[in-house]
Amino acid sequence: MLEMTREEFEELVAEALDRIPPELMRLMDNVAVFVEDEPPADDPELLGLYEGTPLTERGEWYAGVLPDRITIYRGPTLRMCESREDVVAETEITVVHEIAHHFGIDDARLHALGYG
């Protein structure tokens, strides 16, 4: 397994977020991004997870709710990558993938766009 400290991985996630176009970042609403070492035990290869209500599904009822949560998982990313460059690329893909869910884009469309 590739070695990388949690701090280094968190920095890669922050850099991936910085590469999201500012016009998209301004549209993100009530969402927080976290880094965790491992995903839930029932899905050990999960790289990222979006939990919340996509912007496309929010209605008048959407008020006073906790922020949506995007979690990027360090362990499975490091286990699947062979180099730091692979981690950088995979982290960026995962961050974009989870942000896309916040915007209401489903897995089928993401796979078609190359963000599998």
Side-chain angles (χ1 to χ4, degrees):
M1 181 170 102
L2 187 66
E3 293 293 323
M4 180 178 289
T5 67
R6 183 178 173 122
E7 291 77 21
E8 289 174 302
F9 189 78
E10 287 174 349
E11 182 62 30
L12 292 181
V13 171
E15 290 170 5
L17 287 166
D18 288 344
R19 286 190 287 277
I20 302 295
E23 55 272 16
L24 287 180
M25 290 299 286
R26 283 192 293 273
L27 296 173
M28 290 178 63
D29 182 47
N30 200 32
V31 62
V33 179
F34 298 90
V35 170
E36 297 289 342
D37 288 329
E38 293 297 332
D42 64 335
D43 200 354
E45 296 181 15
L46 187 67
L47 302 179
L49 180 64
Y50 170 74
E51 300 170 285
T53 304
L55 294 174
T56 54
E57 296 178 17
R58 295 180 184 180
E60 293 176 13
W61 59 269
Y62 189 85
V65 299
L66 292 174
D68 292 3
R69 181 179 177 104
I70 291 174
T71 307
I72 308 299
Y73 297 107
R74 178 176 157 265
T77 303
L78 295 180
R79 286 190 291 276
M80 75 174 287
C81 294
E82 296 181 9
S83 68
R84 180 177 171 78
E85 293 77 23
D86 291 346
V87 175
V88 170
E90 191 59 51
T91 301
E92 186 166 329
I93 288 169
T94 303
V95 167
V96 169
H97 182 108
E98 301 311 327
I99 288 173
H101 286 319
H102 176 68
F103 284 101
I105 301 171
D106 65 16
D107 281 332
R109 181 68 178 135
L110 284 168
H111 286 278
L113 293 171
Y115 291 97

